Amino acid sequence: MNSSSGARKRGSITNPPTRAGTAAPGVEFRTHTLVLAGEAAGLRLDQALAQALPQYSRARLQAWIRAGCVSVDGRVPRPRDLVHGGEEVRIEAQLRALGVVDPEAMALEVLWSDEHLLIINKPAGLVVHPGAGNARHTLQNGLLAWDPALARVPRAGIVHRLDKDTSGLLLVARTVEAHTALVAALAARKIHRGYVALCTGVMTGGGTVDRPIGRHRSVRTRMAVRADGRAAVTHFRILRRYSAHTLIDVTLETGRTHQIRVHLSHRGFPLVGDPLYGGRRRLPAGASAETRAALTGFRRQALHAARLALRHPLKGEELSFEAPLPQDFAALIAALEAR
């Protein structure tokens, strides 16, 4: 991990949480007193507060207003009330545990952490969020055992996701304020993610795939390039060519479900081992028995989240992280090198 200090960016969190020592288990308190700026005149109260307190989502602020946790010049307002600027706002609210996901002790590779963030190196085979058929044994279960306070943060602080069989770096926020800021940074493309992938086929050069992605029309577990899909942009460059495969570096501008897998398959270079988009396995002519066994035995998509770079949402530091290829992926590359 490399980090360097940087100036605090506008919109970074500057009002950290106020913790009450007498809070009940699963509860944290947030207390704020502020005067609305004159520039807020004419805005709805929830809009004005979202501007003044960017560490909270507008939906959360609306919920606090409706619950009577917000007063404006001593009166209880509504979210839609218009403000004039200069009003004194007092917030006394609670953060309670969310959802019913159970904590589950498991080995997690934590590459870096402070009181606001975690960087996890996720192994292949670990589901990120509970869902149909995966109520337990997920990363979210493990995070809640590692830090029970994450129960108060949406999705136990997970900011982005990786597919079950994709390995590598994953960002986790440890507070509501950090989560709100990082989700906004991700949407604004200020969090940079880099991947290493092994494709079937020999590329002649790098490039960009700029094609929208949406749900497959007939196979609902798959995604597809569709004209009516959501915008998706993937950049790739060649790291190493083999006789029937290409090792590439991939960066994302967007983060659609299965984006790298769909885009590369669409270009005719599906990921080795991909069960949804990989098509027929291609074995190099004249390959050794060991190389053939390595390719046929690789039962997941050959995709690894190798790099992550972001600005710390509270401290303003530039942070960057790298994770080496996991053993199975490294062994596959070694077999191709030795063929």
Side-chain angles (χ1 to χ4, degrees), residues 14 56 155 234 283 286 338:
T14 57
Y56 304 120
R155 294 179 176 268
T234 303
L283 301 177

Side-chain angles (χ1 to χ4, degrees), residues 1-2 111 119 121 169 304-309 320-324:
M1 189 279 288
N2 299 314
L111 295 186
I119 303 296
N121 188 15
L169 297 172
H304 176 65
R307 301 185 312 283
L308 183 65
S320 62
F321 306 91
E322 294 185 358

Side-chain angles (χ1 to χ4, degrees), residues 66-335:
R66 294 190 182 102
C69 301
V70 178
S71 64
V72 177
D73 289 337
R75 64 179 179 82
V76 178
R78 298 169 299 179
R80 67 174 183 269
D81 289 350
L82 300 183
V83 303
H84 304 287
E87 295 96 329
E88 182 177 280
V89 178
R90 175 77 175 173
I91 299 175
E92 295 182 352
Q94 294 181 351
L95 294 178
R96 294 184 178 273
L98 305 173
V100 292
V101 178
D102 294 326
E104 180 181 345
M106 64 178 67
L108 296 177
E109 186 179 356
V110 178
L111 295 186
W112 184 88
S113 69
D114 68 3
E115 65 270 34
H116 311 290
L117 306 177
L118 287 175
I119 303 296
I120 301 289
N121 188 15
K122 186 187 88 68
L126 180 62
V127 175
V128 172
H129 297 293
N134 291 300
R136 300 180 59 203
H137 313 311
T138 73
L139 177 62
Q140 187 169 345
N141 297 108
L143 286 170
L144 290 171
W146 193 89
D147 181 2
L150 288 171
R152 294 184 284 270
V153 185
R155 294 179 176 268
I158 297 169
V159 176
H160 60 108
R161 64 184 298 274
L162 295 174
D163 295 333
K164 173 185 175 182
D165 288 325
T166 297
S167 57
L169 297 172
L170 197 141
L171 174 62
V172 179
R174 300 185 70 179
T175 65
V176 167
E177 294 84 354
H179 186 269
T180 302
L182 291 170
V183 168
L186 188 67
R189 303 179 183 179
K190 295 178 180 178
I191 296 177
H192 305 288
R193 295 165 288 165
Y195 298 76
V196 174
L198 182 66
C199 301
T200 299
V202 181
M203 293 182 174
T204 58
T208 296
V209 185
D210 185 356
R211 299 297 300 272
I213 291 176
R215 186 71 60 182
H216 194 284
R217 296 186 187 278
S218 57
V219 184
R220 305 307 291 172
T221 57
R222 297 182 57 174
M223 308 299 286
V225 169
R226 291 180 48 168
D228 61 347
R230 300 177 68 188
V233 181
T234 303
H235 305 285
F236 61 94
R237 62 182 180 89
I238 294 174
L239 296 175
R240 183 86 160 85
R241 293 188 185 91
Y242 302 99
S243 59
H245 301 87
T246 308
L247 185 68
I248 61 173
D249 179 272
V250 184
T251 57
L252 299 177
E253 287 192 23
T254 52
R256 309 303 174 212
T257 300
H258 299 176
Q259 178 173 321
I260 295 173
R261 300 163 66 187
V262 171
H263 271 172
L264 291 173
S265 179
H266 179 75
R267 286 287 291 262
F269 299 98
L271 298 185
V272 168
D274 193 329
L276 284 180
Y277 310 101
R280 184 174 61 86
R281 292 180 184 272
R282 184 180 303 177
L283 301 177
S288 66
E290 291 79 6
T291 299
R292 296 171 68 89
L295 286 166
T296 56
F298 199 84
R299 298 294 183 178
R300 68 174 181 95
Q301 62 267 12
L303 182 62
H304 176 65
R307 301 185 312 283
L308 183 65
L310 66 148
R311 182 185 290 268
H312 194 290
L314 271 88
K315 300 177 182 178
E317 296 174 294
E318 296 292 345
L319 304 175
S320 62
F321 306 91
E322 294 185 358
L325 292 177
Q327 183 177 359
D328 64 340
F329 201 154
L332 178 61
I333 297 303

Side-chain angles (χ1 to χ4, degrees), residues 13-58:
I13 298 169
T14 57
N15 197 351
T18 300
R19 301 177 185 267
T22 57
V27 176
E28 283 187 4
F29 290 93
R30 295 295 187 269
T31 301
H32 297 275
T33 301
L34 64 146
V35 176
L36 295 179
E39 293 80 2
L43 295 179
R44 290 168 49 118
L45 175 61
D46 55 353
Q47 293 174 319
L49 289 180
Q51 289 185 2
L53 300 170
Q55 62 266 48
Y56 304 120
S57 68
R58 185 174 167 189

